[in-house]
Amino acid sequence: MGILVVGTVAFDAIETPFGKTDKIIGGAATYIGLSASYFTKKIDLVSVVGDDFPQETVKMLQGKGVNMEGLQVMKGQKTFFWSGLYHNDMNTRDTLVTELNVLADFNPVVPASAQEDEFVMLGNLTPVVQEKVLAQMKNRPKLVVLDTMNFWMDVALEDLKRVLKKVDVLAVNDAEARQLSGEYSLPRAAQKILAMGPKYLIIKKGEHGALLFNKEQVFYAPALPLEDVFDPTGAGDTFAGGFIGYIASTKDVSFENMKRAIIYGSAMASFCVEKFGTERLLNLTQKEVEGRVQQFVDLVQFDIDLV
Ligand code: AMP
């Protein structure tokens, strides 16, 4: 039932039309772990930080039920740092800085207690590291989900393509799906990407929702029209955490259940963007989460009598 999560644990500096932050806590694995913690209590995180990373954040994640045994702390080295600037539409951003720091020589070690986890979330980071994590699993997990970004398509495309052959679900945004496939049409891009290995493809479209493809079917989930989007950083990871968290809690990897998982992922992501960084994910209640999911249901439910 456990979920193994690998990804960055990072410092981010973010600028949006609503404001600017100094270094705050971020990283794909941080968002995934927090989001998934609302669904299941066996989460094992594998990542790396420098000794500049605050111990209280490690404790906070442990408090949420995330096992941090697989977090390596490198003495005298610096934590991964990313800085981004969002445009007015909040759907597009420029990466200003990516300092790999500890990530450059990261050799992941999956603790024995996590090697039999049935669900694996390969969060955004070096494809070779994602592959090394997968290789340490004792059995073929029930579901392997991979998230990645344009950065890795630019610098490690061949490695990424190799890992793609070993995963069940790929989650990328629309621009990344187009870059990876060389196709502008998303249904065409999807078929090309599915031919590269994954059985399912999720294409995230920011405020325009998300699409789920397999070779025969497609499902569309909207995003909630929110009055204020403060900071989209981590929305994709939060989505992924909710998606795999829901699947792990139901143990059902069918297409039908993935549809529900996408709604849960979208609901979690809608919270994430309401505040800067991870803030909004820290103290949600189960009632709030269910209330959000209900809003999604209401948003798309309609009756038509066809003659
Ligand atoms: P998202 O907004 O879902 O794409 O995720 C943003 C998070 O990804 C930030 O907290 C960053 O620390 C992290 N991030 C940014 N660039 C990279 C990268 N090249 N590899 C891994 N993680 C990254």
Side-chain angles (χ1 to χ4, degrees):
M1 210 187 96
I3 306 175
L4 178 72
V5 177
V6 60
T8 41
V9 171
F11 286 128
D12 291 345
I14 303 157
E15 192 171 341
T16 81
F18 297 98
K20 202 175 161 169
T21 67
D22 282 333
K23 280 190 177 179
I24 57 170
I25 301 300
T30 313
Y31 284 101
I32 295 166
L34 280 173
S35 181
S37 74
Y38 288 92
F39 299 90
T40 169
K41 288 297 162 216
K42 167 101 168 76
I43 301 169
D44 300 295
L45 186 143
V46 170
S47 192
V48 64
V49 290
D51 57 8
D52 54 351
F53 195 77
Q55 190 56 33
E56 62 266 27
T57 304
V58 176
K59 289 215 178 90
M60 178 278 287
L61 284 161
Q62 281 166 336
K64 297 277 175 198
V66 182
N67 172 19
M68 302 298 282
E69 217 184 309
L71 181 74
Q72 296 176 27
V73 182
M74 306 308 283
K75 278 223 171 85
Q77 294 190 44
K78 282 163 74 180
T79 298
F80 175 81
F81 173 66
W82 174 80
S83 168
L85 169 72
Y86 287 87
H87 300 241
N88 276 339
D89 70 358
M90 293 293 240
N91 258 350
T92 48
R93 73 179 176 205
D94 295 331
T95 288
L96 303 177
V97 183
T98 301
E99 284 175 13
L100 293 179
N101 298 329
V102 284
L103 205 62
D105 307 308
F106 178 38
N107 194 16
V109 178
V110 178
S113 60
Q115 287 172 5
E116 291 181 68
D117 283 347
E118 287 184 291
F119 299 91
V120 176
M121 180 64 233
L122 300 173
N124 185 18
L125 92 182
T126 330
V128 165
V129 171
Q130 295 174 317
E131 192 175 30
K132 281 186 181 167
V133 164
L134 212 46
Q136 291 171 56
M137 300 310 285
K138 282 223 171 99
N139 314 305
R140 171 65 167 89
K142 235 180 155 146
L143 195 77
V144 180
V145 182
L146 183 137
D147 192 355
T148 188
M149 74 189 290
N150 51 352
F151 181 83
W152 301 112
M153 294 175 197
D154 293 338
V155 306
L157 184 61
E158 288 317 308
D159 296 337
L160 177 61
K161 283 192 172 163
R162 212 175 45 247
V163 191
L164 278 180
K165 294 202 171 75
K166 302 176 185 169
V167 310
D168 302 301
V169 185
L170 171 68
V172 283
N173 68 31
D174 43 359
E176 290 154 356
R178 289 181 172 124
Q179 179 171 347
L180 185 61
S181 64
E183 290 282 352
Y184 187 81
S185 145
L186 292 180
R188 277 217 184 99
Q191 291 313 320
K192 275 206 174 168
I193 293 170
L194 291 171
M196 295 177 187
K199 288 190 266 320
Y200 304 92
L201 171 70
I202 297 171
I203 301 183
K204 299 167 285 179
K205 292 163 58 83
E207 64 169 325
H208 304 297
L211 292 159
L212 168 69
F213 291 92
N214 67 7
K215 283 208 170 101
E216 297 84 32
Q217 292 157 284
V218 57
F219 171 71
Y220 169 71
L224 209 58
L226 295 169
E227 287 195 10
D228 297 306
V229 173
F230 227 69
D231 168 21
T233 309
D237 309 310
T238 305
F239 171 93
F243 176 81
I244 199 152
Y246 179 77
I247 291 189
S249 73
T250 53
K251 295 191 196 141
D252 176 352
V253 297
S254 67
F255 190 82
E256 280 311 304
N257 200 47
M258 280 187 195
K259 291 183 185 178
R260 287 185 279 273
I262 284 205
I263 299 293
Y264 273 91
S266 304
M268 295 309 292
S270 76
F271 286 117
C272 174
V273 302
E274 287 180 333
K275 295 243 167 98
F276 266 109
T278 55
E279 197 182 336
R280 189 73 175 99
L281 298 177
L282 300 181
N283 294 304
L284 291 169
T285 63
Q286 222 57 46
K287 211 171 153 212
E288 281 176 295
V289 174
E290 295 298 322
R292 263 299 147 94
V293 170
Q294 185 61 50
Q295 281 181 269
F296 275 81
V297 174
D298 296 341
L299 186 67
V300 291
Q301 209 163 41
F302 54 86
D303 292 319
I304 292 184
D305 288 325
L306 291 173
V307 275

